[in-house]
Amino acid sequence: MAVRATMSRFPTDPDAQEGSGLPWGVTVTPFATKDENGNPPVYGSDGHLLPRCENCWAYFNTYCELEQWAWNCSLCGTLNGLTSEAITRYSQPQSCAEMMSSFIDLELPVEGSEEESMQARPVYVAAIDLSSSEEFLELIKSALLAALEALAPEALFGLATFSHKIGLYDVQGPVPIVKNVFVPADSDASLPIELEDAMPLLSFLAPVETCKDRIVSALETLKPTTSWERTTAAGQGLDGILLGGRGFGVAMEALFNYLGSEYGNTFALARVFAFLSGPPDYGAGQLDTRRYGEQYASKGEDADRALLPEQTPFYKDLAAVAVQAGVCVDIFAVTNEYTDLASLKFLSIESGGSLFLYSNTDDSTLPQDMYRMLSRPYAFGCILRLRTSSEFRPGNSYGHFFPDPQYENVQHIICCDSYATYAYDFDFANTVGFSRHTSEPPMLQIAFQYTVVVPPDELSTPGSVSASRPKHSLKRRLRIRTLQYLTAQNISEIYDSVDPEVVLSVLVHKVILASLEQGVREGRMLLHDWLVILIAQYNDAYKLVQYRNGSSTTAHVDVAFSQCPQLQPLPRLVFALLRNPLLRFHEEGVHPDYRIYLQCLFSALEPSSLHRAVYPVLTSYSTPDKQAYPRHSLSRAALITSGSPIFFLDAFTTLIVFYSSTADPILPYPPPHDCLLRSTINKLKQERSITPKLLFIRGGQDDATAFENYLIEEQDVEGSGLTSVMGFVSFLEDITRSVLEYMK
């Protein structure tokens, strides 16, 4: 569980917090195997016996004062009695995890009978869009072949297809059998029969171990529904326009009801992979994609604002059905047509899944992403709870979870991997803040309760061949991290303790929220104004504004934070965020689906990955085996002045190796497989939550546009002719003018 704060020294009171101009909060990556310093938790058992404070319900931890019969809560100060069992246990402190470390992971007893807890086979269902092309289906086949390699042998796998009908495959016999159920075209009609009546669920879910080859041969039979089949099913649409036959909404709802009957019986979590090649346009849940047309221009609407909210609550409601059925949905959209991910995204993010968007089938990383996603461990049925000492409290929480309807500051996460990150900001509980005279420092406790599927231990019965295979078992665990922070005595202590990557994380969450509610323009203004106010507060705190000749028009403002190294990256990060497709305008060619994809991606990234995605890391190499400089600014000037022949750019979703046009021709191109640069690239690819695209470009020979687009600090950016495109230097001049205006 990695926890990073925007500032490691907290402000003492609301005035200090307001005066700093910085967001105050933390990012939490609960299922990360280590903390932010690389230390693992201390593991233990009997989590249900851990003492809790009777006032604030915090858990006993190493910061609590322990007396012979009682303990003082480190969060609220309440004195709590200890049970006789706890007294005995704590008389040997080395025997229990909670006495040894403030970062612990304890096993909890699984509720229900032993037999029930063993019935925990992982279930995966692929739902494939047949209203598509041959190329799309070829890509999906290779992705599912990769997925089958990553799945445990005991897993159950179901293959379903959807178009104007839902196809269910039974691959457990000698020949794959497909049963079809037709989807009614009306948006409020229901299926003629339940899927369970078309094919019993246990015929549909096949064990990967014995049926892998037959699943593969069933995949080979998949063909796109022919246009005449779709035409006769869908009939002519409005004004003779042919409506497609992509009954995605109906198919998803039917699948959730189908699987839900065995939830808690055959499986504890089922994962549905939905592969889409375009917008749902048939039956219930169909989306009107005409809103992505020219009509917005004529109505004078803000296209960015019009295309961000969902057009129907259908998929948000469907996510609740999925959660009830124990299903987590991952959506893989492979399309360059408008698919309205703004409406579809809730199905994935609210059920604990992910949203992936690939603009074409040619260079798609879908097979690698599938393999990577299925190879890494995940927790499910998670509950995340944040508690603070009494002087402050959590304000907003951000991330892909849904809040508990009953309890404050409790979030439910359906499915969580080791990368998923959540953010919180803090408010003071009163105007006093942290008293300077007491010895009680600010405390934070994060509790994360989760379930993991533990594969059967084959060695449990050596020699004996049992009639039934050992089954997966469920383990319920409780991970707790208690942190103590210092308070800052003055503003420079706050500024010196800032973590710019975490500040960026909290800002990105706030900006995404603002743009969803009020439009992209509002999000941009919020970011711009935040930087102006921060620079003004900083200049004011350090008394840096010098008025020449007594007039404010010629005053000098320090916009580069020259007195505070920790704040220096912020103007560049804000500049880069304003240049990011997340906040660029529709008329600049930003596809609304791509913006939604970025919103979903950015709001789950941990701070250092987000930093790379917003302001890529550019390093230079003198040879493929020797690094020259670890960091350059993203400008052509930096390339020229460095004089290095090879550059490596890491933009999180893309990695680019660029050989400059002046590079010595004897340098090997592309870099050999055993060099330092290659091993750096391989290490980055291994550690990443998604598969980055890797490009090699030779300056002067290949088209270098892909690389040059990332050099955002230039004034001569060949944009779309819009005045909003300006270089970093003129951006700082604009900020300076705004700061002076603000400080008048």
Side-chain angles (χ1 to χ4, degrees):
M1 183 187 290
V3 181
R4 290 173 63 178
T6 52
M7 46 190 92
S8 55
R9 282 180 173 267
F10 284 2
T12 47
D13 54 38
D15 292 343
Q17 202 254 315
E18 192 72 26
S20 73
L22 289 160
W24 174 31
V26 289
T27 59
V28 182
T29 312
F31 197 52
T33 48
K34 296 186 171 149
D35 69 11
E36 63 284 0
N37 303 315
N39 304 314
V42 172
Y43 289 91
S45 55
D46 296 330
H48 60 300
L49 300 179
L50 190 62
R52 298 185 71 171
C53 172
E54 54 201 37
N55 174 41
C56 71
W57 288 98
Y59 291 92
F60 175 81
N61 57 79
T62 50
Y63 295 105
C64 297
E65 287 175 22
L66 186 62
E67 295 167 21
Q68 192 176 359
W69 310 106
W71 59 282
N72 272 71
C73 174
S74 57
L75 272 77
C76 70
T78 304
L79 185 69
N80 297 277
L82 280 171
T83 62
S84 52
E85 290 91 342
I87 294 168
T88 316
R89 214 165 64 238
Y90 294 152
S91 60
Q92 303 147 344
Q94 290 312 305
S95 66
C96 28
E98 64 266 32
M99 296 287 279
M100 294 158 64
S101 170
S102 59
F103 179 21
I104 56 175
D105 193 303
L106 307 177
E107 199 166 316
L108 293 168
V110 173
E111 292 168 15
S113 69
E114 185 66 19
E115 187 53 41
E116 273 178 34
S117 71
M118 296 299 274
Q119 293 284 344
R121 298 178 75 165
V123 166
Y124 302 93
V125 174
I128 304 171
D129 177 3
L130 293 187
S131 304
S132 55
S133 63
E134 291 280 1
E135 294 78 17
F136 171 83
L137 288 179
E138 283 308 313
L139 176 67
I140 305 312
K141 286 173 194 173
S142 54
L144 288 173
L145 291 178
L148 288 170
E149 291 308 312
L151 295 182
E154 298 79 19
L156 297 173
F157 182 85
L159 178 62
T161 57
F162 60 89
S163 53
H164 60 276
K165 57 189 179 187
I166 299 169
L168 303 174
Y169 283 76
D170 177 353
V171 296
Q172 296 183 59
V175 178
I177 297 167
V178 60
K179 296 277 180 70
N180 290 307
V181 177
F182 282 86
V183 173
D186 296 345
S187 53
D188 50 0
S190 55
L191 283 179
I193 64 165
E194 293 293 320
L195 298 188
E196 180 65 41
D197 299 333
M199 181 180 290
L201 184 62
L202 296 177
S203 304
F204 172 69
L205 295 175
V208 171
E209 185 177 34
T210 53
C211 299
K212 190 188 272 188
D213 295 345
R214 277 172 280 182
I215 296 170
V216 173
S217 48
L219 286 173
E220 289 305 324
T221 65
L222 296 182
K223 299 264 183 301
T225 46
T226 57
S227 51
W228 69 264
E229 225 186 316
R230 260 181 278 176
T231 318
T232 48
Q236 294 302 87
L238 302 164
D239 307 329
I241 302 164
L242 176 68
L243 288 178
R246 195 177 287 113
F248 176 68
V250 183
M252 288 294 110
E253 190 166 17
L255 272 176
F256 302 158
N257 294 333
Y258 189 31
L259 291 165
S261 62
E262 285 294 314
Y263 174 38
N265 210 0
T266 301
F267 67 88
L269 177 81
R271 296 186 71 167
V272 170
F273 307 127
F275 299 101
L276 263 176
S277 69
D281 54 9
Y282 188 75
Q286 57 186 283
L287 297 171
D288 178 7
T289 52
R290 290 173 305 173
R291 69 178 189 158
Y292 179 58
E294 297 305 311
Q295 76 268 40
Y296 285 100
S298 59
K299 286 184 191 168
E301 282 189 53
D302 174 353
D304 303 292
R305 194 169 170 184
L307 295 169
L308 281 171
E310 75 270 29
Q311 57 169 295
T312 162
F314 182 87
Y315 291 97
K316 202 169 193 167
D317 299 342
L318 198 50
V321 176
V323 170
Q324 289 300 313
V327 175
C328 152
V329 187
D330 295 291
I331 295 178
F332 301 89
V334 186
T335 174
N336 57 3
E337 65 175 306
Y338 175 60
T339 305
D340 192 15
L341 293 184
S343 299
L344 292 171
K345 68 175 182 186
F346 296 103
L347 187 54
S348 59
I349 60 178
E350 294 205 353
S351 68
S354 310
L355 176 69
F356 294 86
L357 175 66
Y358 307 93
S359 56
N360 60 40
T361 52
D362 303 339
D363 55 356
S364 165
T365 54
L366 173 61
Q368 296 91 320
D369 284 341
M370 286 285 305
Y371 184 80
R372 186 162 296 207
M373 187 171 85
L374 292 172
S375 306
R376 56 178 178 249
Y378 59 87
F380 58 91
C382 318
I383 303 171
L384 185 62
R385 174 74 202 249
L386 189 93
R387 290 185 176 86
T388 60
S389 46
S390 45
E391 301 87 355
F392 69 116
R393 58 176 178 230
N396 296 314
S397 46
Y398 310 94
H400 298 165
F401 49 64
F402 63 97
D404 189 275
Q406 196 175 354
Y407 298 104
E408 259 190 319
N409 307 318
V410 176
Q411 279 85 29
H412 293 265
I413 304 162
I414 307 299
C415 187
C416 178
D417 66 19
S418 55
Y419 296 96
T421 301
Y422 307 88
Y424 297 86
D425 53 22
F426 299 133
D427 301 318
F428 279 98
N430 52 41
T431 50
V432 181
F434 303 110
S435 164
R436 292 167 191 272
H437 313 296
T438 63
S439 57
E440 302 302 321
M443 299 292 300
L444 182 63
Q445 187 176 76
I446 298 152
F448 180 62
Q449 208 181 98
Y450 64 97
T451 301
V452 281
V453 174
V454 182
D457 187 355
E458 299 291 352
L459 305 174
S460 54
T461 51
S464 72
V465 180
S466 61
S468 64
R469 288 187 56 84
K471 300 186 179 75
H472 278 65
S473 57
L474 294 181
K475 287 268 188 288
R476 189 78 179 154
R477 304 191 68 92
L478 173 63
R479 186 173 287 190
I480 300 170
R481 180 95 194 271
T482 312
L483 298 111
Q484 190 178 67
Y485 290 93
L486 298 168
T487 51
Q489 298 309 308
N490 52 45
I491 193 133
S492 54
E493 280 194 1
I494 291 183
Y495 286 159
D496 289 340
S497 76
V498 163
D499 183 335
E501 291 185 338
V502 186
V503 170
L504 174 71
S505 270
V506 176
L507 276 181
V508 165
H509 280 295
K510 287 180 183 292
V511 163
I512 287 174
L513 213 59
S515 55
L516 282 172
E517 287 170 5
Q518 295 156 313
V520 174
R521 197 164 265 107
E522 194 60 38
R524 290 179 69 89
M525 279 161 58
L526 176 95
L527 196 57
H528 180 276
D529 294 352
W530 173 81
L531 184 62
V532 167
I533 293 166
L534 175 68
I535 292 172
Q537 311 273 53
Y538 156 80
N539 277 275
D540 193 39
Y542 283 81
K543 309 279 180 283
L544 295 173
V545 180
Q546 299 149 4
Y547 295 105
R548 296 185 200 133
N549 315 330
S551 111
S552 67
T553 48
T554 53
H556 172 70
V557 177
D558 177 7
V559 285
F561 296 109
S562 49
Q563 311 260 346
C564 278
Q566 292 307 104
L567 298 182
Q568 284 166 11
L570 290 173
R572 268 199 169 84
L573 291 176
V574 169
F575 172 76
L577 194 48
L578 289 168
R579 297 284 155 278
N580 194 282
L582 187 75
L583 288 177
R584 292 247 295 282
F585 291 123
H586 185 67
E587 57 261 32
E588 288 181 58
V590 177
H591 197 293
D593 284 339
Y594 184 58
R595 193 195 309 279
I596 294 286
Y597 162 69
L598 286 182
Q599 286 183 353
C600 294
L601 177 69
F602 285 8
S603 49
L605 286 183
E606 51 86 37
S608 42
S609 299
L610 183 61
H611 184 185
R612 283 181 152 77
V614 170
Y615 191 93
V617 176
L618 181 63
T619 40
S620 60
Y621 286 76
S622 43
T623 72
D625 265 315
K626 187 168 177 228
Q627 194 187 63
Y629 296 101
R631 196 105 200 212
H632 294 277
S633 62
L634 298 176
S635 64
R636 288 192 180 85
L639 299 193
I640 296 160
T641 52
S642 86
S644 301
I646 304 171
F647 293 90
F648 173 53
L649 182 120
D650 176 3
F652 189 73
T653 52
T654 312
L655 304 174
I656 300 178
V657 176
F658 178 76
Y659 278 56
S660 80
S661 51
T662 54
D664 190 329
I666 62 166
L667 284 172
Y669 174 88
H673 283 280
D674 54 352
C675 68
L676 171 70
L677 178 52
R678 279 283 190 175
S679 54
T680 307
I681 291 170
N682 292 337
K683 186 168 181 290
L684 286 171
K685 286 171 87 171
Q686 282 300 312
E687 293 167 353
R688 203 134 292 183
S689 56
I690 59 165
T691 314
K693 275 186 193 159
L694 178 59
L695 304 174
F696 294 99
I697 298 174
R698 286 187 94 142
Q701 293 181 31
D702 306 333
D703 178 10
T705 331
F707 178 66
E708 287 167 358
N709 285 345
Y710 286 106
L711 305 177
I712 53 178
E713 293 193 15
E714 305 304 344
Q715 282 165 306
D716 57 318
V717 179
E718 294 297 325
S720 50
L722 290 165
T723 50
S724 68
V725 178
M726 54 180 175
F728 184 56
V729 176
S730 48
F731 169 74
L732 289 181
E733 286 166 4
D734 170 59
I735 291 287
T736 306
R737 284 192 293 277
S738 305
V739 169
L740 289 169
E741 191 66 35
Y742 176 78
M743 292 178 83
K744 266 183 190 171

